[in-house]
Amino acid sequence: MINSAPLSASQIMVLLLAQLSAQSSCNLSRKQTPMMNVSEIYASYLESTLIGVQREEANLYVVRALRHVIQDVFAQLSPTLMIMAATRSSMLDTWFQHVIGVLLSTWSDGTVQMLRANGTQSVHVPGRKYCNLLLVDSYESLLDTRIAEDNAGYDDHEYYFIFLQTRDQYIERERQLILEYCLAHYWLNCNVMVQTAQVEVLVYSYYPYQEQRCQLAEAQLVNRFDGQRMINAPMFPNKLRQLSQCPLTLLLWHMPPYVELSPGRTAGGFEMQLVQHLAQRLNFSLVLHKLHLLRVDQYKLAMANGSINGPIELIMQQRVNMSIGYFRKTARRDQLMTSTPAHYYAPLVAVVESDNFRFGRLAWLTFPFQWPVWQTLLAALLLHWSVYVWHWRRLGLQVVELLLGVAVPRLPRCWLQRLVYAHWLLGSIPLRIIYQSLLFHFMRLQLFETLPSSFEQLLSSNFRAFCTSNTLQMLREMPQVDCHYDSFTGFTTSYDQNVLDALQHNRSIGRRSFAIAGLDVTKAHLRDTGQEENYHILTQYVNVQQVVIYMPKHTYFYSEFTNLIRRLDASGFIDFWRRATFAESVHRNQRRENNEEELQQQEHRRRIHETQLTAIYGVMGSLYAIAALIFCLELLIHRLFNKT
Ligand SMILES: *[C@@H]1O[C@H](CO)[C@@H](O)[C@H](O)[C@H]1NC(C)=O
Ligand SMILES: *[C@@H]1O[C@H](CO)[C@@H](O)[C@H](O)[C@H]1NC(C)=O
Ligand SMILES: *[C@@H]1O[C@H](CO)[C@@H](O)[C@H](O)[C@H]1NC(C)=O
Ligand SMILES: *[C@@H]1O[C@H](CO)[C@@H](O)[C@H](O)[C@H]1NC(C)=O
Ligand SMILES: *[C@@H]1O[C@H](CO)[C@@H](O)[C@H](O)[C@H]1NC(C)=O
Ligand SMILES: *[C@@H]1O[C@H](CO)[C@@H](O)[C@H](O)[C@H]1NC(C)=O
Ligand SMILES: *[C@@H]1O[C@H](CO)[C@@H](O)[C@H](O)[C@H]1NC(C)=O
């Protein structure tokens, strides 16, 4: 702006005073300097050899430019504005105060928060600052504001308009430092306004993603004040519409079928497809940072060592730009990182072996009739028996024989007895038929006892729960889990598949157990291993977890990714990928190692069913044959005895 910095502040102040007294619209300046003879100072200022008439215009020019920014840019963005003046020089400080006073006198329909920072003694006011007009004289003054600290925890992008007021020779260096600071702190909407000695008000910004120039804070002229208005309309242009094939680092780990890492350089899976689509839409290239997930015990060791390099740490240190791999959203993680909306809701279900609920041998026999039917039957039997014993004073075994369908060898002589027999026989025939057919039917259908509907029921009937230790940690927030914590076993693995395998292997060990795992993974895994029929998936979800893309806090891509993911979700793309991936995993796995074994097992199972049925038919057939034989023998004997 001005050739001589030490003079500039007071000179500008005088200019403003002159302008203000001429307008006589604001008495602020006069109040602050009541002793001054304005015209005297003005005269001395005009006499000064360092400042010409042109300089005076230049300074009015600056005030107008700032007024334009407030009225036409910030007023459209938010009703509240944050103005902060930061300088370590007391003269510039006074000047900034005056400029702000003038600006505010013309802008009444908004809330303004004003702060001053001068080096060490500045007062720090915490809280979010959305629209920011910063008046600084150097990069150090910008640091004094500590504004990055206040906004670091938020995900939306704030607006920063920084008026850098310094001598021409320092402008370039300070501007560059400030833009680099913006880049490092993800200040995407960051403009730096300067005023040169040639009365030019110029606005610079940076484009982080340009062809061949990625992740650079290279100053580019975006706007210029022509005395009335800024030449280019959008003061804060969209810089992320096109990332020009700039590389973004994606952190990922093997977590089939969400992310599948093959030995080569490629990666596949449902989430990978999503990220590749994002890359295509925003035109960025992907650099894969593959991570080998530590087991929980190793992780703890590393944490004690201080040499930890887990996904959360890598993201927080901004060494990667985003991360996928069945990364579930938790409150704690959200405090440390930024997450997109969930692209997948992972319901956790309890899986239990159906065999635990098969009928015992005796239960089978009683199952066809309900308890009241049995009671009535017993009462009727007792009644008949007592009538029989009381009247005919013989053993009442015949009543039981009749009930079981044994024929009466001799017709009773007494009519009453015949009536009782006939009644009892006729009554028991339908009962017997119904019972036998129901029994047969149930055996064929392989019915089970009432299956549990929630995992709490399982826990209360003394089942043990298996899950990955990561899942267990998340479930622990649920009170039902926390109060039964002893019944849970966390496996030191990241994969639900291993937990399901463990459930399968521990079948013979004795204690009854169930697994808690993701629904889709469980279904796919049971299908792959051909165990679908042996396991029951409880209908009630244990919990529904959100799988998200995690990024460093306050990242550039939050709103871009959010919009794209919402759109993809609404249009059904994400669901399509998900279904395709899970179906594919089944087919591929079947084709792979399990192929032969699997087919054999299926064949085996089918044969078991068939042999069971054939055995039943065989037993029935032979019983009928024996009965027919005995009947024939009886007839024969009867003939022979009658003849003799
Ligand atoms: C400024 O002060 C003078 C007297 O000190 C007063 O007459 C005038 O009305 C004031 N102007 C405004 C805008 O307050
Ligand atoms: C202010 O200065 C001008 C010019 O030097 C002089 O004419 C005027 O009397 C002074 N006014 C006061 C109040 O001192
Ligand atoms: C900061 O401002 C206070 C008064 O507000 C002043 O005493 C102090 O000297 C200033 N510090 C610097 C470094 O300018
Ligand atoms: C993506 O960026 C590259 C490099 O800047 C460019 O050549 C290409 O046209 C862009 N593609 C699209 C679809 O915009
Ligand atoms: C812990 O530190 C020791 C050396 O201090 C190192 O040998 C070891 O690899 C570290 N362990 C982990 C898990 O980083
Ligand atoms: C992206 O990650 C790289 C490291 O791979 C880092 O230097 C850069 O700052 C990150 N950029 C963004 C916008 O997160
Ligand atoms: C279950 O089986 C796994 C191996 O498959 C074993 O590590 C684990 O100790 C067993 N758990 C119990 C409770 O027996």
Side-chain angles (χ1 to χ4, degrees):
M1 56 172 256
I2 309 143
N3 292 335
S4 141
L7 273 176
S8 61
S10 52
Q11 287 157 1
I12 294 163
M13 193 180 73
V14 168
L15 271 173
L16 285 165
L17 281 173
Q19 190 202 13
L20 291 173
S21 55
Q23 289 178 350
S24 88
S25 62
C26 176
N27 281 355
L28 171 76
S29 316
R30 198 172 295 180
K31 271 182 216 147
Q32 285 192 345
T33 55
M35 302 308 286
M36 274 184 189
N37 181 340
V38 174
S39 36
E40 194 174 49
I41 298 172
Y42 185 53
S44 76
Y45 153 70
L46 283 180
E47 280 164 20
S48 162
T49 51
L50 291 167
I51 296 172
V53 179
Q54 202 187 359
R55 293 282 169 267
E56 177 192 345
E57 283 171 359
N59 290 296
L60 299 177
Y61 208 70
V62 173
V63 174
R64 275 210 301 279
L66 284 178
R67 184 180 299 154
H68 170 82
V69 170
I70 291 187
Q71 283 180 338
D72 298 348
V73 181
F74 281 134
Q76 317 295 324
L77 292 170
S78 160
T80 61
L81 174 66
M82 162 80 211
I83 298 181
M84 187 182 266
T87 173
R88 293 185 178 188
S89 126
S90 56
M91 279 188 290
L92 260 182
D93 190 43
T94 323
W95 182 72
F96 281 155
Q97 297 314 312
H98 285 304
V99 169
I100 291 167
V102 178
L103 286 174
L104 295 189
S105 70
T106 56
W107 191 54
S108 53
D109 51 342
T111 322
V112 176
Q113 183 187 8
M114 272 182 54
L115 288 176
R116 282 164 75 184
N118 75 345
T120 47
Q121 278 166 322
S122 57
V123 184
H124 181 230
V125 181
R128 186 167 193 208
K129 300 171 175 75
Y130 186 65
C131 282
N132 301 284
L133 177 65
L134 308 177
L135 294 90
V136 300
D137 65 344
S138 64
Y139 168 65
E140 276 75 29
S141 302
L142 181 63
L143 295 188
D144 289 344
T145 63
R146 293 164 69 189
I147 197 164
E149 196 179 306
D150 297 330
N151 286 336
Y154 298 91
D155 292 329
D156 290 327
H157 291 297
E158 299 84 22
Y159 294 87
Y160 301 90
F161 194 88
I162 302 168
F163 177 28
L164 172 65
Q165 181 72 312
T166 188
R167 285 204 242 171
D168 272 10
Q169 65 202 89
Y170 299 139
I171 282 182
E172 197 168 329
R173 194 179 67 102
E174 299 293 335
R175 185 186 64 200
Q176 191 54 35
L177 285 172
I178 290 174
L179 287 179
E180 273 164 19
Y181 184 80
C182 290
L183 178 72
H185 289 85
Y186 300 113
W187 290 5
L188 189 63
N189 301 311
C190 167
N191 288 359
V192 177
M193 183 175 107
V194 296
Q195 187 225 324
T196 61
Q198 283 80 39
V199 204
E200 284 177 306
V201 172
L202 303 172
V203 182
Y204 292 88
S205 190
Y206 70 100
Y207 287 84
Y209 300 104
Q210 283 187 301
E211 213 167 331
Q212 314 293 328
R213 289 186 309 240
C214 299
Q215 201 68 39
L216 285 182
E218 196 181 341
Q220 292 197 15
L221 187 65
V222 294
N223 233 327
R224 175 195 295 272
F225 188 64
D226 71 353
Q228 301 304 319
R229 57 190 187 90
M230 293 284 179
I231 288 171
N232 295 326
M235 179 56 84
F236 296 104
N238 184 349
K239 299 170 177 176
L240 297 179
R241 206 169 278 148
Q242 165 69 270
L243 301 190
S244 307
Q245 285 297 313
C246 283
L248 292 189
T249 316
L250 171 68
L251 177 67
L252 74 178
W253 49 84
H254 189 59
M255 182 63 72
Y258 304 98
V259 174
E260 284 190 75
L261 295 184
S262 41
R265 309 210 65 202
T266 56
F270 152 59
E271 296 193 81
M272 195 59 208
Q273 251 173 321
L274 172 66
V275 171
Q276 275 164 349
H277 188 82
L278 294 181
Q280 195 193 334
R281 290 291 287 272
L282 292 173
N283 202 15
F284 60 84
S285 61
L286 280 172
V287 178
L288 301 187
H289 187 301
K290 296 179 186 174
L291 187 74
H292 183 73
L293 279 190
L294 290 179
R295 291 211 322 267
V296 175
D297 44 344
Q298 293 171 328
Y299 195 81
K300 279 183 184 149
L301 210 78
M303 197 134 77
N305 238 4
S307 63
I308 188 154
N309 255 338
I312 299 178
E313 288 73 22
L314 285 175
I315 292 176
M316 284 173 65
Q317 293 159 13
Q318 297 184 6
R319 285 162 59 189
V320 295
N321 301 123
M322 59 193 135
S323 172
I324 55 170
Y326 194 45
F327 214 155
R328 286 171 286 181
K329 189 181 173 93
T330 63
R332 171 99 190 98
R333 287 175 183 171
D334 269 1
Q335 274 175 359
L336 304 173
M337 302 174 286
T338 289
S339 64
T340 57
H343 53 263
Y344 174 57
Y345 287 89
L348 286 184
V349 289
V351 190
V352 66
E353 209 184 344
S354 319
D355 266 350
N356 289 314
F357 303 96
R358 272 186 213 287
F359 285 108
R361 283 191 197 97
L362 286 180
W364 262 121
L365 293 178
T366 56
F367 183 68
F369 289 156
Q370 279 168 338
W371 189 228
V373 178
W374 285 118
Q375 280 172 324
T376 322
L377 197 61
L378 201 67
L381 182 66
L382 278 179
L383 185 69
H384 272 96
W385 187 75
S386 41
V387 166
Y388 193 86
V389 170
W390 186 47
H391 266 280
W392 298 286
R393 311 200 180 272
R394 267 197 250 145
L395 269 181
L397 220 56
Q398 250 179 347
V399 179
V400 182
E401 282 175 358
L402 277 178
L403 181 65
L404 296 180
V406 176
V408 184
R410 268 183 303 113
L411 206 62
R413 283 192 205 119
C414 170
W415 273 103
L416 180 65
Q417 203 175 352
R418 279 186 197 175
L419 207 65
V420 171
Y421 268 28
H423 174 254
W424 185 232
L425 192 65
L426 289 179
S428 68
I429 285 174
L431 266 185
R432 227 181 312 126
I433 292 173
I434 291 172
Y435 177 77
Q436 280 172 354
S437 38
L438 279 180
L439 192 62
F440 189 76
H441 180 67
F442 291 153
M443 280 165 99
R444 176 77 194 94
L445 278 187
Q446 297 212 331
L447 284 196
F448 298 101
E449 284 176 52
T450 327
L451 290 166
S453 60
S454 71
F455 80 102
E456 289 97 333
Q457 279 177 16
L458 286 174
L459 285 179
S460 57
S461 45
N462 218 11
F463 272 79
R464 221 184 146 66
F466 291 165
C467 55
T468 64
S469 42
N470 220 339
T471 303
L472 184 56
Q473 241 174 11
M474 296 183 177
L475 288 181
R476 216 175 161 174
E477 317 249 307
M478 298 169 64
Q480 309 95 297
V481 173
D482 201 35
C483 65
H484 285 108
Y485 192 69
D486 292 340
S487 307
F488 283 79
T489 306
F491 284 90
T492 51
T493 171
S494 309
Y495 309 119
D496 281 347
Q497 288 92 333
N498 293 355
V499 176
L500 293 171
D501 285 340
L503 183 68
Q504 222 159 318
H505 292 149
N506 290 20
R507 202 180 340 184
S508 50
I509 289 175
R511 180 135 189 220
R512 306 199 294 174
S513 43
F514 67 99
I516 293 181
L519 176 62
D520 282 323
V521 171
T522 304
K523 276 187 175 165
H525 190 69
L526 290 182
R527 234 173 345 194
D528 292 357
T529 50
Q531 297 282 337
E532 263 175 318
E533 290 159 19
N534 301 343
Y535 285 90
H536 173 65
I537 299 176
L538 268 56
T539 43
Q540 198 181 80
Y541 295 158
V542 174
N543 192 339
V544 177
Q545 299 190 316
Q546 302 180 22
V547 178
V548 298
I549 299 177
Y550 266 115
M551 296 175 286
K553 263 274 172 237
H554 208 255
T555 175
Y556 287 150
F557 307 110
Y558 172 71
S559 52
E560 240 63 27
F561 283 8
T562 299
N563 288 343
L564 272 177
I565 286 175
R566 289 229 170 95
R567 230 181 295 158
L568 287 174
D569 197 21
S571 59
F573 263 102
I574 293 185
D575 200 45
F576 172 73
W577 288 327
R578 179 184 65 85
R579 273 182 283 135
T581 307
F582 278 102
E584 191 182 300
S585 93
V586 171
H587 292 146
R588 194 169 42 233
N589 283 352
Q590 271 182 351
R591 255 183 275 123
R592 255 197 320 224
E593 77 242 41
N594 288 339
N595 200 358
E596 290 290 305
E597 208 180 312
E598 179 49 29
L599 280 181
Q600 273 174 7
Q601 271 189 4
Q602 274 179 357
E603 182 68 14
H604 187 59
R605 268 199 310 273
R606 206 171 54 234
R607 235 179 285 150
I608 286 176
H609 277 291
E610 275 168 13
T611 39
Q612 275 172 347
L613 264 187
T614 338
I616 289 172
Y617 293 143
V619 169
M620 300 282 291
S622 41
L623 282 179
Y624 273 118
I626 291 171
L629 200 68
I630 289 173
F631 182 65
C632 292
L633 276 179
E634 274 182 346
L635 270 183
L636 202 68
I637 289 169
H638 188 70
R639 280 273 168 86
L640 286 179
F641 275 91
N642 274 8
K643 270 183 186 167
T644 54

